């Protein structure tokens, strides 16, 4: 009897994992991709000297990205935590609020590739995100992949 219960628990857990995986997709922005919940929506913007855009998470939370020479370095404030990681083989700064929902949550990479006489940089961030969206963004950042299309 115990064996059947354990087996059923594994089957239920397996079903939940595949359902959760189907709720995600790769958003392709030509120069990078990010795995996100299906509900996240790309919003095009027109940049002057860089590639910029938005991602709508829901009705109130939006992410902004900038890929170019002058991307925001996400300096952070005392109320934000800064950590360092490697994503897609690139050293990056991860910033998130010490108090959920109050501050910047995002990533900054200061060296993607050479672009003319300068080096392209990247940031993707949201401001005062709901705690559940902060968590989703921090998970999604780990899936970033970059492609130099020059």
């Amino acid at each position: 009897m115990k064996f059947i219960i354990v087996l059923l628990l594994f089957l239920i857990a397996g079903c939940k994992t595949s359902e959760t995986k189907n709720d995600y997709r790769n958003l392709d922005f030509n120069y990078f991709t990010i795995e996100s919940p299906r509900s996240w929506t790309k919003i095009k913007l027109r940049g002057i000297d860089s590639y910029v855009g938005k991602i709508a998470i829901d009705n109130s939370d939006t992410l902004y990205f900038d890929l170019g020479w002058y991307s925001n370095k996400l300096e952070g404030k005392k109320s934000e935590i800064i950590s360092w990681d490697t994503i897609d083989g690139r050293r990056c700064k991860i910033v998130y609020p010490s108090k959920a929902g109050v501050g910047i949550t995002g990533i900054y990479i200061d060296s993607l590739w050479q672009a003319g006489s300068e080096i392209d940089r990247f940031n993707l961030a949201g401001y005062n995100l709901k705690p559940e969206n902060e968590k989703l963004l921090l998970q999604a950042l780990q899936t970033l992949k970059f492609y130099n299309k020059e």
Side-chain angles (χ1 to χ4, degrees):
M1 182 66 169
K2 286 182 185 178
F3 175 74
I4 293 172
I5 293 172
V6 170
L7 183 61
L8 285 173
L9 288 174
F10 278 116
L11 289 173
I12 291 169
C15 290
K16 280 193 170 211
T17 301
S18 62
E19 285 175 13
T20 304
K21 195 167 191 163
N22 289 334
D23 292 340
Y24 285 79
R25 67 178 170 157
N26 254 351
L27 288 178
D28 190 341
F29 291 91
N30 259 350
Y31 293 94
F32 70 95
T33 62
I34 187 168
E35 190 174 315
S36 72
R38 287 197 177 279
S39 60
W40 291 16
T41 307
K42 294 179 359 179
I43 300 171
K44 293 181 182 182
L45 295 178
R46 183 175 293 208
I48 295 171
D49 58 3
S50 60
Y51 175 48
V52 295
K54 295 186 202 180
I55 302 171
I57 295 178
D58 59 24
N59 293 354
S60 61
D61 285 343
T62 303
L63 307 175
Y64 303 86
F65 70 83
D66 182 344
L67 191 158
W69 295 354
Y70 307 109
S71 298
N72 183 331
K73 294 181 180 180
L74 303 181
E75 296 295 353
K77 299 175 183 171
K78 288 184 180 182
S79 62
E80 294 163 347
I81 298 167
I82 296 174
S83 65
W84 295 90
D85 202 348
T86 301
I87 296 174
D88 194 33
R90 293 166 170 86
R91 184 159 165 77
C92 56
K93 179 188 339 184
I94 307 288
V95 178
Y96 56 96
S98 55
K99 181 181 177 190
V102 182
I104 298 171
T105 305
I107 187 171
Y108 172 73
I109 301 173
D110 76 349
S111 183
L112 282 178
W113 46 69
Q114 187 75 28
S117 62
E118 294 287 331
I119 293 176
D120 274 340
R121 294 159 177 81
F122 176 79
N123 78 33
L124 172 68
Y127 302 89
N128 301 325
L129 301 175
K130 288 181 250 171
E132 60 270 17
N133 288 336
E134 280 180 21
K135 183 178 176 183
L136 287 171
L137 174 56
L138 290 170
Q139 291 170 346
L141 293 177
Q142 298 296 318
T143 69
L144 280 166
K145 303 270 187 251
F146 294 92
Y147 309 99
N148 186 352
K149 301 265 181 157
E150 285 192 317

